Amino acid sequence: MVEEYAIAMDIGTSGVRAQAINVEDNSTISTTVTLRHPIPGANVMDHLHFAVNVGREQAHQLIMEAVNKVVDQLEVDKSKITRFAVCGNPIQLSLFQNIEIRDLAFWGTNAVERMKITPPKRNAQIIKPGDVDLDINPDADVYIPPAIKHEIGADALAMLVKSGVVDKEGIYLVSDFGTNAEIALVIDGEIFSCSAAAGPAMEGQAIECGMLASPGAICDVTAEGDQWRNMVLNSDLKVDACNLMDVTTGEIIEQQNPQTQARGITGTGVISAYSLGTEQGIISIPDIKTDDNKINLQDEVYLSEKDLTEIGKALGAFRAAHITLCVEAGIELEDIDAVYMAGASGFYVDPMKSLTVGQIPACSWDIYQIGNTSLSMARDIVENPDLLSELQEVADGMRGNHITLATSEIFEKIYGLELAVCEQNMPLWKYDEWLESYGYGNLPEVEDDPEIHRLFESDIPDIGVNGLSIIEEVGTKLESKVEGCISCQACANECPESALKIEDGVATIRSDYCNGSACLRCELVCPEKVFLYEKMFYIEGEDAKSL
């Protein structure tokens, strides 16, 4: 029998995760993850702005170069790949397919109609690799799962289907934690959903020593007296208990598992440190009460006061989104029967710490950690292609109410309170007074003994016989001839990520390092006002590796 392979892929806001699978027995061969996203920017809105302002074709090419690089890294015979399934939010899947995306960039039907934009249906599809520039067997089937609505994507469908809440009576809160947090409140099958721009801190980005959940990432910290024990992901994405530290000085109290070195800290580790530091009085937002104003972890990994402000803003987006959904649905937070935490961040974080910092409602008493549901659903599809049509039926039958937080007056009021907490140290009792004055209820008491169900050992339970490989640099490049450039180097010197070089009037940007439209310091600092970010264009293949 001729050996055949399938690829399951999750295109997330922070990077790409994929698995190669043997079609004959559905066994996992290998797993590959990237540590960055190929499109400039740290969140999904940055990616959307890039596609609209610089060009959808540019964004598609960047995505596909990364996708093809991931497939190469899986190290299977590409001519024998017969099935390929991809999951992600509507923006990522639209860029993968190179279809209309402007309907996701403008709020309200009036704006879409005024601009004469025809939104694509975003139903379940089976296409061919050549349709999207995917470099595998041209006869393979490429499966695109459906969105529930055009703004409620396949990743939201994945977390709802994999958690099973759409088929149960009761009230459930399901969240896929990440840079772009998909959150759904499900009441007897009716869905109230939103996307909270929780920020890159949830994935360890916009943090000075931050990184995605991958080997070497500090994913948790625990207290042993006044000292902190660092929990670090090893090469198999399992958690090793590592050094015991005095985090106020950086002194190693006890070394453990020296073969597992810390390379950085991921979002779950930041949340854990935020919670523990507050509990021990080392942190009083926005201040860190140590001599160097840092939380010193291990192997020169630390947290700064700037980091804590970033995580405070991210956590505030979660809590504000939860309250907004409840107000819109006419329920209280205490009415929620169970909470489901999806995604790598939702899997590795300590749920008790999530309770105390507001990442999940403080009153959560029944908590499920269910791993990477987006990758898991892509895998389900390649193992059973008939599932695609079943998922379309599920999506068609869902009753959905999508709340756009960017235009929600409820969210605006609540998030203003969150910013006052994390930036100005406003006490929570004052927050509660304001919340009550708005008619939005009160902050619930923290549940001290919740039932926690952790279904797997890691967010990707089976990494395969060939193990896990990591692509640290996606390796894409943007380039532009800057007419009128005086070679002052102001743009390059201003770049916070060292993503930009300019020589002889030619600007070159590493797309995976660039902060995108949320930054634009290169453009703003140009003394001649000749540097235009939207004029950058994609450079393919080997030429991109020279930067």
Side-chain angles (χ1 to χ4, degrees):
M1 180 177 179
V2 177
E3 201 166 43
E4 295 182 358
Y5 304 111
I7 306 294
M9 179 174 288
D10 167 35
I11 303 178
T13 306
S14 300
V16 180
R17 293 184 166 209
Q19 293 193 295
I21 298 154
N22 187 318
V23 170
E24 183 179 5
D25 59 6
N26 292 329
S27 61
T28 307
I29 298 168
S30 55
T31 301
T32 295
V33 303
T34 72
L35 294 188
R36 294 178 180 271
H37 194 284
I39 296 177
N43 60 61
V44 71
M45 294 311 297
D46 290 340
H47 299 163
L48 182 56
H49 289 161
F50 180 91
V52 171
N53 296 326
V54 179
R56 193 184 79 204
E57 181 65 31
Q58 304 269 51
H60 170 71
Q61 289 175 322
L62 290 171
I63 282 266
M64 294 314 300
E65 181 169 327
V67 165
N68 285 321
K69 184 170 289 188
V70 168
V71 173
D72 288 342
Q73 194 78 15
L74 289 168
E75 295 187 337
V76 295
D77 186 340
K78 293 192 292 184
S79 69
K80 295 179 181 178
I81 296 173
T82 57
R83 302 174 189 172
F84 185 105
V86 60
C87 193
N89 65 46
I91 292 172
Q92 306 300 344
L93 290 190
S94 295
L95 293 177
F96 174 84
Q97 294 175 262
N98 200 12
I99 60 174
E100 178 64 75
I101 197 169
R102 291 175 298 161
D103 59 310
L104 301 173
F106 301 102
W107 300 306
T109 56
N110 290 338
V112 171
E113 290 173 1
R114 185 173 64 252
M115 299 186 71
K116 298 181 180 180
I117 297 169
T118 303
K121 292 185 179 296
R122 297 190 173 92
N123 287 337
Q125 296 181 57
I126 304 175
I127 61 178
K128 289 299 178 183
D131 297 334
V132 292
D133 306 307
L134 179 60
D135 183 21
I136 61 172
N137 168 23
D139 296 322
D141 288 325
V142 179
Y143 303 97
I144 314 290
I148 301 171
K149 288 186 174 181
H150 82 281
E151 72 273 36
I152 312 176
D155 55 343
L157 176 64
M159 72 180 187
L160 291 167
V161 169
K162 298 299 288 186
S163 64
V165 297
V166 292
D167 299 320
K168 296 196 294 188
E169 292 185 358
I171 302 175
Y172 306 98
L173 184 72
V174 189
S175 301
D176 189 339
F177 296 98
T179 305
N180 185 57
E182 303 292 340
I183 305 174
L185 179 67
V186 185
I187 304 175
D188 295 331
E190 183 173 7
I191 303 161
F192 295 82
S193 68
C194 67
S195 294
M202 286 294 97
E203 297 282 8
Q205 298 183 77
I207 300 296
E208 291 182 24
C209 295
M211 62 184 293
L212 297 182
S214 54
I218 297 174
C219 61
D220 194 11
V221 293
T222 60
E224 295 184 17
D226 293 333
Q227 278 78 51
W228 293 20
R229 178 76 68 184
N230 293 303
M231 304 295 173
V232 183
L233 296 180
N234 64 24
S235 58
D236 293 324
L237 288 181
K238 303 297 190 297
V239 179
D240 282 347
C242 291
N243 291 0
L244 183 67
M245 304 290 297
D246 180 342
V247 296
T248 65
T249 65
E251 179 188 357
I252 300 174
I253 306 301
E254 176 189 307
Q255 190 175 48
Q256 189 169 318
N257 280 322
Q259 74 280 3
T260 302
Q261 295 286 308
R263 300 171 55 222
I265 182 167
T266 194
T268 58
V270 177
I271 292 167
S272 184
Y274 187 100
S275 173
L276 186 53
T278 303
E279 180 185 323
Q280 292 186 348
I282 300 171
I283 294 172
S284 178
I285 299 299
D287 302 320
I288 297 177
K289 297 179 179 180
T290 62
D291 289 342
D292 60 358
N293 303 117
K294 293 179 180 179
I295 301 292
N296 298 284
L297 298 164
Q298 74 172 66
D299 301 323
E300 300 184 0
V301 178
Y302 64 87
L303 291 175
S304 68
E305 291 180 340
K306 177 180 174 291
D307 294 336
L308 296 184
T309 299
E310 290 295 325
I311 198 69
K313 292 176 183 177
L315 292 170
F318 279 109
R319 184 158 55 192
H322 298 154
I323 298 171
T324 299
L325 288 176
C326 287
V327 172
E328 291 280 3
I331 68 163
E332 302 286 337
L333 285 168
E334 291 91 339
D335 296 332
I336 296 171
D337 294 314
V339 170
Y340 291 78
M341 304 172 71
S345 294
F347 186 84
Y348 290 115
V349 73
D350 180 346
M352 286 303 301
K353 295 187 175 79
S354 292
L355 284 173
T356 61
V357 300
Q359 191 182 28
I360 60 176
C363 53
S364 303
W365 60 274
D366 197 18
I367 304 168
Y368 294 81
Q369 293 177 285
I370 57 177
N372 189 324
T373 54
S374 190
L375 181 61
S376 179
M377 191 169 82
R379 179 169 185 138
D380 288 348
I381 293 169
V382 293
E383 291 182 2
N384 175 21
D386 291 340
L387 179 62
L388 193 68
S389 58
E390 295 175 24
L391 288 171
Q392 184 65 64
E393 292 179 10
V394 172
D396 291 341
M398 286 185 177
R399 294 169 288 151
N401 307 277
H402 186 72
I403 292 90
T404 302
L405 297 183
T407 58
S408 168
E409 293 183 3
I410 298 170
F411 181 81
E412 181 182 5
K413 289 179 180 179
I414 301 169
Y415 194 60
L417 299 178
E418 294 290 348
L419 291 178
V421 171
C422 70
E423 294 183 338
Q424 302 170 20
N425 205 17
M426 184 179 80
L428 286 179
W429 63 263
K430 191 66 176 176
Y431 181 116
D432 201 45
E433 282 186 357
W434 278 104
L435 203 63
E436 189 171 16
S437 74
Y438 292 146
Y440 300 158
N442 295 98
L443 291 174
E445 296 293 323
V446 175
E447 173 64 47
D448 58 6
D449 189 27
E451 189 80 20
I452 298 171
H453 313 270
R454 198 170 193 202
L455 305 187
F456 310 107
E457 286 187 60
S458 70
D459 72 306
I460 304 177
D462 177 13
I463 60 174
V465 292
N466 293 342
L468 174 72
S469 63
I470 298 169
I471 299 175
E472 297 198 20
E473 297 182 356
V474 179
T476 48
K477 190 170 78 169
L478 303 170
E479 188 174 276
S480 177
K481 174 68 175 176
V482 183
E483 298 293 342
C485 174
I486 60 174
S487 300
C488 66
Q489 298 297 317
C491 55
N493 294 335
E494 185 69 14
C495 180
E497 302 297 333
S498 299
L500 169 64
K501 288 184 179 179
I502 188 159
E503 296 177 353
D504 300 323
V506 177
T508 311
I509 293 177
R510 273 290 303 268
S511 68
D512 50 349
Y513 282 19
C514 176
N515 286 335
S517 58
C519 176
L520 294 184
R521 287 164 146 190
C522 50
E523 186 172 304
L524 295 172
V525 79
C526 178
E528 302 298 309
K529 303 303 176 189
V530 293
F531 188 105
L532 297 175
Y533 186 83
E534 64 185 35
K535 299 296 184 182
M536 304 300 297
F537 63 91
Y538 168 75
I539 299 295
E540 186 176 3
E542 291 298 318
D543 291 337
K545 296 179 181 179
S546 60
L547 182 63

